[in-house]
Amino acid sequence: MEKGTIHRIRREINSLDSMMTPDVRRIGRKYFREVKGLPKNHILDICQELLDSGTWAERIIAFQWAFQLRKRYEKEDFNTFERWLKAHVTGWSSCDDLCTHAMGELLHQFPELLPKVKEWTSSENMWKRRGAAVTMVYPIRRGKYLEVVFEIADSLFHDDEELVLKGYGWMLKEASVTYRREVYDYVMKNRATMPRTALRYALEKMPEHMRKKAMETSL
């Protein structure tokens, strides 16, 4: 069954006249119905085979299926998702696809995994460092882990990679929806040294007068 499903997925992907992400996700939803009754680990093995192809379309489906398994997550799934982050994430899009969905939901369910994610901030792998921030987007949208959000921002504060700065800026922006005053206070306290890239992202959902004040005093 698994081999047949993978073959049909690849055949349908190859039949597309123009391959767009929504089309690939539609194919993923269609064929998940064929495998959803399998044991979770069998489905994750199929995801691994899709990832091993190295194609962006099959990677999208693998990460999509991993998120669709969220009601069956266990703490041990962290090891699988972390391995995928290291081996199969090659850009900001794939980083965000995995971390803001499957990894974020896993962290939402199992807060005891937070220390493991915080360790990524010191990784040599820039996608793990960005992943530390963007993984927090999912739980912070649900009002969780504000203290850890600030700890991760502190750890990534002067990162050398712009996409990591944008990642923690985005994390702060999402936190500001629920915790506007706390995030604003954090920005104002650090405005003199906070990289402009991260600062702009963090302020995007703030009222104009707050954004203006923070940007003016950061000059």
Side-chain angles (χ1 to χ4, degrees):
M1 179 180 182
E2 293 93 330
K3 294 294 184 182
T5 298
I6 292 173
H7 176 74
R8 287 189 289 277
I9 287 172
R10 290 174 175 165
R11 184 175 59 193
E12 190 156 347
I13 287 173
N14 291 334
S15 72
L16 294 174
D17 292 330
S18 59
M19 198 181 304
M20 305 294 287
T21 298
D23 297 319
V24 174
R25 294 198 185 282
R26 174 184 54 77
I27 292 170
R29 289 191 298 273
K30 174 181 175 180
Y31 287 101
F32 186 73
R33 292 194 289 270
E34 292 189 5
V35 302
K36 65 180 181 180
L38 296 173
K40 183 189 68 177
N41 286 342
H42 287 190
I43 299 174
L44 291 176
D45 287 343
I46 301 173
C47 292
Q48 183 65 63
E49 186 165 346
L50 292 169
L51 289 169
D52 288 340
S53 74
T55 67
W56 71 271
E58 292 185 36
R59 181 179 61 218
I60 285 175
I61 291 174
F63 291 168
Q64 178 180 334
W65 284 12
F67 183 59
Q68 287 182 274
L69 292 170
R70 57 192 178 276
K71 292 183 179 179
R72 298 155 69 179
Y73 282 172
E74 302 167 278
K75 280 192 300 183
E76 291 71 23
D77 294 324
F78 181 87
N79 297 327
T80 298
F81 297 163
E82 184 179 42
R83 185 175 69 250
W84 290 354
L85 176 58
K86 182 178 179 180
H88 298 289
V89 164
T90 57
W92 67 267
S93 179
S94 53
C95 179
D96 297 357
D97 196 15
L98 174 63
C99 290
T100 65
H101 292 83
M103 188 65 83
E105 169 64 30
L106 188 68
L107 203 65
H108 176 61
Q109 293 185 27
F110 301 103
E112 57 267 40
L113 295 172
L114 284 164
K116 291 180 177 292
V117 172
K118 288 163 62 177
E119 289 176 3
W120 296 350
T121 62
S122 59
S123 173
E124 293 183 0
N125 184 327
M126 68 172 288
W127 303 121
K128 290 186 77 171
R129 299 199 308 275
R130 179 179 171 95
V134 300
T135 292
M136 299 302 297
V137 167
Y138 188 97
I140 198 63
R141 283 175 174 171
R142 290 151 180 83
K144 300 179 72 172
Y145 313 147
L146 179 65
E147 181 178 348
V148 177
V149 164
F150 290 142
E151 291 174 1
I152 289 174
D154 286 344
S155 296
L156 299 175
F157 200 79
H158 288 298
D159 199 276
D160 293 333
E161 297 287 346
E162 184 176 32
L163 287 172
V164 176
L165 300 179
K166 289 181 177 179
Y168 89 74
W170 177 24
M171 173 185 68
L172 291 172
K173 174 176 67 176
E174 295 300 331
S176 74
V177 174
T178 303
Y179 301 104
R180 177 186 295 172
R181 175 50 59 182
E182 290 87 345
V183 173
Y184 186 69
D185 289 346
Y186 177 87
V187 168
M188 294 299 286
K189 181 180 71 174
N190 293 287
R191 65 189 183 276
T193 56
M194 192 173 190
R196 296 279 289 185
T197 296
L199 180 65
R200 286 195 298 269
Y201 268 72
L203 292 169
E204 278 185 359
K205 293 190 177 182
M206 295 279 185
E208 183 177 357
H209 71 278
M210 298 175 81
R211 291 200 308 270
K212 184 176 180 180
K213 183 177 180 181
M215 294 301 291
E216 284 179 349
T217 54
S218 70
L219 297 177

